[in-house]
Amino acid sequence: MNDVFALDSFTVSRQSVEEADLAALHALSVSVGWPHRAEDWQFLRSYGDGFVAVDASGRVQASAMWFPFGDDFATVGMVITSPRLQANGGGAWLMQHVLEQTRGRALGLHATRAAHRLYRSQGFADEATIYQNQGVLAAPPAARAVTDGTVRPLLQSDLPDLLALDRRTTGTDRAALLALLFGQSEAEAYVLHREDGLAAYALARPFGRGTVIGPVIAKDDDDAISVVMPHLQSRVGTFVRLDTGQTDGPFAQLLVLSGLTVFDTVTRMSLGRAWPLSSQPPHRIYAIAAQTIG
């Protein structure tokens, strides 16, 4: 596959995202209005792989990354294309390199409106809508006290149970990603613990303009609220984002009443087979790990 792409009167060349200048990556996301800081790019590079398109002056004109989950599934993200390159097919060119690198894996992604047509042209199928809730956090309404369990900060001893819960719910092995997420500076996690083990968890970490809450995995709205509420209560007056598939019920209502209204939507898509999400009760995903949306 060609490593050079001709664009009008100049060309761009393909490089590994690991080789790209961090400031140039940050400039690319800023140019399209994405909130990713240089620190967020560095985090993503520490886990994922992918490519950038670089012009002769060293400017990054496009990016496309992928993130492994086990041997047979990966997600695609950080697909950003400058308007000029996108208009001339540069986004599709870079995506072809990602598809070649991930050959043999089923793929999932969360598509922005701008990139949805590109993914459809590559064979991805729509699955569901994800809602990006964000805003300056207002004081959340009072929640029902937890009477059948204990909400507390995550302990190191909780990790085996948390990873098992996450694997059962997502259908993928996210142990390496979660280890990086929990290890981020200022990352904070709460768990709901019952006599029969760990029942729910919610992670919050610095990202973009403030804090992103996610992943959140719980059995029902009440359990999800119980582990998200400490994050909300400690961040009143700050910018918070939470990406969820929930549109009604107590959990969705809590977000709106706390000032986290729907800012935008993305589409969950797949190629090869559907996302391997568990269809078995009782647990489900209440918030995704929003950094890899693209």
Side-chain angles (χ1 to χ4, degrees):
M1 189 174 295
N2 198 342
D3 288 344
V4 176
F5 183 79
L7 176 64
D8 296 338
S9 60
F10 73 97
T11 61
V12 292
S13 59
R14 178 176 66 93
Q15 293 181 5
S16 166
V17 69
E18 190 60 39
E19 301 175 47
D21 179 74
L22 195 59
L25 290 173
H26 183 223
L28 175 66
S29 54
V30 168
S31 72
V32 295
W34 284 28
H36 297 70
R37 307 165 300 164
E39 297 96 319
D40 300 321
W41 274 104
Q42 186 55 42
F43 169 81
L44 293 167
R45 292 200 301 186
S46 70
Y47 181 67
D49 202 348
F51 304 103
V52 294
V54 182
D55 65 22
S57 66
R59 290 190 297 268
V60 176
Q61 296 284 342
S63 64
M65 295 188 67
W66 65 278
F67 307 90
F69 297 97
D71 296 328
D72 60 355
F73 182 74
T75 61
V76 175
M78 300 307 294
V79 180
I80 306 175
T81 310
S82 65
R84 189 178 184 190
L85 195 63
Q86 184 177 23
N88 287 272
W93 169 72
L94 207 56
M95 271 295 298
Q96 284 299 316
H97 286 288
V98 168
L99 294 177
E100 179 65 27
Q101 195 176 41
T102 57
R103 188 178 300 277
R105 296 174 184 263
L107 299 176
L109 56 81
H110 294 94
T112 62
R113 298 173 192 267
H116 185 258
R117 180 181 295 181
L118 167 63
Y119 298 135
R120 289 296 297 268
S121 74
Q122 302 296 318
F124 284 85
D126 295 356
E127 285 193 12
T129 300
I130 303 297
Y131 299 84
Q132 180 182 329
N133 292 68
Q134 66 180 46
V136 175
L137 196 64
R144 179 183 63 85
V146 177
T147 59
D148 55 346
T150 302
V151 176
R152 56 169 173 75
L154 174 76
L155 303 176
Q156 189 70 23
S157 58
D158 293 321
L159 285 177
D161 287 343
L162 186 151
L163 294 177
L165 171 64
D166 191 88
R167 190 179 302 111
R168 288 195 305 271
T169 306
T170 66
T172 62
D173 182 359
R174 303 200 301 179
L177 174 62
L178 291 173
L180 287 173
L181 289 173
F182 293 144
Q184 280 189 295
S185 175
E186 300 179 56
E188 185 180 24
Y190 284 92
V191 299
L192 171 61
H193 199 276
R194 294 195 172 105
E195 289 186 0
D196 57 353
L198 192 144
Y201 82 88
L203 173 69
R205 64 199 190 280
F207 169 69
R209 296 171 56 188
T211 298
V212 63
I213 299 177
V216 177
I217 288 181
K219 179 184 68 174
D220 55 31
D221 282 34
D222 285 343
D223 284 1
I225 289 171
S226 72
V227 289
V228 167
M229 186 62 76
H231 294 306
L232 301 181
Q233 291 171 332
S234 64
R235 291 173 173 83
V236 173
T238 68
F239 186 86
V240 173
R241 170 177 167 179
L242 187 152
D243 291 7
T244 181
Q246 308 300 311
T247 58
D248 53 25
F251 183 79
Q253 292 170 10
L254 171 67
L255 299 181
V256 173
L257 292 174
S258 301
L260 304 186
T261 56
V262 176
F263 172 74
D264 203 355
T265 62
V266 295
T267 304
R268 189 174 74 217
M269 305 182 75
S270 59
L271 178 68
R273 70 170 188 271
W275 279 70
L277 304 176
S278 174
S279 60
Q280 300 178 354
H283 292 87
R284 54 181 167 165
I285 300 170
Y286 276 82
I288 65 171
Q291 274 189 318
T292 58
I293 287 180

